[in-house]
């Protein structure tokens, strides 16, 4: 039987906005506190390290996506270049980690947009609404991403201007302050900040829905990465300048707090609108990415086979989307996952380690970037993964072990004849 296929409807701009929606929303309003707690002002060095590692990963993803323009991202690339187990570990880590991120983004949206006491119902409503947007076709997903990204960037521009108007203390940016957290603290902040750059995976996972994917996907990944890097760098300097590293580490809303020092009465509302929009942008892209990876894993029977269905009218993996949304709703209803950044980073770093190894093996016409970039990306992923907070590392290892056990059982059942 022919495997179900998705339709190619996305252009370069669509792919860029889907990636940006995830990257800008994934951490720009939330990631600064844990990073500052680990490294203080040294988070700026951590951001640079994360960017170097992420660029290696981005070029690996772009090179692989050009050779394998199909759904599933590194799950598909790992299977093709390295074997089924490599692909499974990458896909499993991505799906589990990003489902947790979906719940975290829904709760982050509700924290900014919902009345007190209504956070969980509003978060659940957001998941249901954005799943419906994805259901009606990938062009709706791209259109929603465009609107959300524009709102988010506009709010961030206002917040950055307000934060810089508050002035800065030069002592916060001396070499002593930058290195006060030590090398380990800086590496830990880099691992946490890497969470910010994971959005280009969403572009690769949708490779079966992009027109001219061998040309469009590599360009979209690099463009989205460079724009996100510029946004994060400016926001980092603005927040640290206004608050200082200790206040950033202690803040639950560092961007809003930094902007509030300007004294502009209207800025809090603008920042809250921007944060809510950014969280929605991340959520819509995350749901799309998780469902496409689950869809690809289902086609290979690494996940239950009923998830590989494509809607006959809207041409989306509707069962995979519904399954992902249902799990996210359950997590939102019963678990507080706003602290899931470290856990998600572990899964994504593992995912990109596999991507770098797969890209390293490519030869001939498939090679688009120097091998050194894959070496830097692969080693960087491992270093950042082991320097994450230990709770995140332990949780990540347990989740991978559960996935390996699950696939082992499925394989044994597949080859064992009935009694």
């Amino acid at each position: 039987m022919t495997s179900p296929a998705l339709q190619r409807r996305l252009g370069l701009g669509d792919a860029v906005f889907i990636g940006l929606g995830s990257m800008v929303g994934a951490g720009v309003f939330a990631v600064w506190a844990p990073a500052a707690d680990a490294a203080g002002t040294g988070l700026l060095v951590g951001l640079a390290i994360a960017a170097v590692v992420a660029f290696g990963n981005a070029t690996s993803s772009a090179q692989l996506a050009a050779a394998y323009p199909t759904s599933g991202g590194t799950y598909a690339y790992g299977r093709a270049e390295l074997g089924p187990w490599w692909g499974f570990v990458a896909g499993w880590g991505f799906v589990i980690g990003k489902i947790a991120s979906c719940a975290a983004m829904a709760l982050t949206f509700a924290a900014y947009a919902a009345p007190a006491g209504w956070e969980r119902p509003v978060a659940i409503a957001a998941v249901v609404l954005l799943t419906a947007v994805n259901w009606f076709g990938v062009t709706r997903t791209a259109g929603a991403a465009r609107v959300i990204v524009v709102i988010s960037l506009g709010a961030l521009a206002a917040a950055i201007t307000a934060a810089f108007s508050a002035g800065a203390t030069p002592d916060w940016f001396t070499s002593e302050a930058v290195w006060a957290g030590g090398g380990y603290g800086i590496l830990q902040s880099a691992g946490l900040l890497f969470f910010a750059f994971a959005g280009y995976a969403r572009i690769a996972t949708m490779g079966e829905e992009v027109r001219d994917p061998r040309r469009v996907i590599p360009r979209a990944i690099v463009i989205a990465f460079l724009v996100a890097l510029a946004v994060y760098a400016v926001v980092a300097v603005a927040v640290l300048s206004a608050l200082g590293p200790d206040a950033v580490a202690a803040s639950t809303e560092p961007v809003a707090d930094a902007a509030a020092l300007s004294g502009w009465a209207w800025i809090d509302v603008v920042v809250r609108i921007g944060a809510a929009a950014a969280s929605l942008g991340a959520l819509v892209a995350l749901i799309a990415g998780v469902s496409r990876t689950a869809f690809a894993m289902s086609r290979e029977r690494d996940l239950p086979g009923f998830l590989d269905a494509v809607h006959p009218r809207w041409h989306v993996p509707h069962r995979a989307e519904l399954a992902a949304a249902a799990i996210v709703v359950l997590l939102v209803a019963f678990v507080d996952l706003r602290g899931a950044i470290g856990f998600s980073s572990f899964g994504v770093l593992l995912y990109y380690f596999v991507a770098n190894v797969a890209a390293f093996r490519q030869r001939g016409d498939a090679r688009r970037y120097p091998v050194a970039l894959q070496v830097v990306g692969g080693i960087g992923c491992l270093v950042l993964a082991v320097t994450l907070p230990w709770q995140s590392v332990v949780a990540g290892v347990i989740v991978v072990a559960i996935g390996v056990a699950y696939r082992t059982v499925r394989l044994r059942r597949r080859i064992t004849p009935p009694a």
Side-chain angles (χ1 to χ4, degrees):
M1 184 176 66
T2 303
S3 297
L6 306 175
Q7 288 197 341
R8 299 193 182 279
R9 297 183 171 185
L10 301 179
L12 177 62
D14 298 321
V16 169
F17 273 98
I18 287 173
L20 275 179
S22 182
M23 283 189 272
V24 172
V28 75
F29 289 94
V31 78
W32 307 115
D37 185 55
T41 312
L43 72 83
L44 294 173
V45 181
L47 181 64
I49 294 172
V52 170
V53 175
F55 185 72
N57 299 339
T59 54
S60 292
S61 295
Q63 180 173 296
L64 289 161
Y68 303 103
T70 186
S71 288
T74 299
Y75 168 72
Y77 313 150
R79 284 184 64 90
E81 289 287 342
L82 304 170
W85 271 109
W86 285 81
F88 176 82
V89 168
W92 180 264
F94 180 85
V95 169
I96 299 300
K98 291 307 180 182
I99 282 178
S101 293
C102 286
M105 286 300 104
L107 288 166
T108 300
F109 164 74
Y112 283 99
W118 285 85
E119 287 85 355
R120 291 188 190 274
V122 169
I124 290 171
V127 174
V128 173
L129 175 63
L130 294 183
T131 301
V133 169
N134 284 338
W135 178 284
F136 289 112
V138 73
T139 54
R140 271 74 170 183
T141 302
R146 285 176 181 269
V147 173
I148 289 168
V149 167
V150 169
I151 294 172
S152 302
L153 292 180
L156 277 174
I160 290 166
T161 304
F164 277 129
S165 74
T169 301
D171 290 344
W172 293 337
F173 294 95
T174 62
S175 59
E176 291 81 5
V178 168
W179 295 101
Y184 182 83
I186 287 173
L187 286 175
Q188 190 172 101
S189 74
L192 294 166
L193 290 163
F194 182 85
F195 179 84
F197 297 113
Y200 48 75
R202 236 65 69 235
I203 302 170
T205 59
M206 304 180 81
E208 203 167 313
E209 295 163 279
V210 175
R211 297 191 298 269
D212 192 7
R214 288 181 172 84
R215 181 182 65 87
V216 169
I217 292 178
R219 292 184 182 183
I221 287 174
V222 174
I223 291 170
F225 168 78
L226 292 175
V227 173
L229 173 59
V231 170
Y232 272 86
V234 175
V235 172
V237 173
V239 168
L240 286 169
S241 296
L243 297 176
D246 293 338
V248 172
S251 174
T252 57
E253 299 176 351
V255 176
D257 290 344
L261 292 180
S262 66
W264 301 351
W266 49 269
I267 195 64
D268 182 67
V269 174
V270 171
V271 172
R272 288 187 174 278
I273 291 172
S279 301
L280 288 180
L283 184 56
V284 72
L286 284 166
I287 292 172
V290 168
S291 64
R292 269 63 178 181
T293 302
F295 167 77
M297 295 179 74
S298 177
R299 283 201 296 200
E300 301 293 343
R301 297 304 182 257
D302 279 336
L303 288 179
F306 71 89
L307 296 176
D308 75 355
V310 174
H311 195 281
R313 178 177 179 183
W314 304 113
H315 305 286
V316 296
H318 57 297
R319 291 181 185 172
E321 287 185 347
L322 288 178
I327 297 171
V328 173
V329 166
L330 287 174
L331 291 175
V332 168
F334 298 108
V335 183
D336 188 346
L337 288 176
R338 279 171 285 192
I341 290 175
F343 171 73
S344 181
S345 290
F346 182 90
V348 173
L349 286 162
L350 179 62
Y351 178 87
Y352 283 118
F353 172 74
V354 175
N356 282 298
V357 176
F360 181 82
R361 285 175 53 89
Q362 290 184 295
R363 296 291 184 269
D365 293 340
R367 174 154 298 284
R368 290 169 172 249
Y369 303 98
V371 173
L373 286 173
Q374 283 106 57
V375 174
V376 169
I379 294 174
C381 285
L382 291 179
V383 171
L384 296 186
V386 299
T387 55
L388 286 168
W390 68 268
Q391 298 93 332
S392 301
V393 176
V394 170
V397 170
I398 291 172
V399 166
V400 171
I402 291 171
V404 169
Y406 165 79
R407 187 170 192 267
T408 300
V409 170
R410 282 187 64 88
L411 289 175
R412 287 180 178 175
R413 287 182 175 178
R414 193 180 303 172
I415 63 176
T416 302

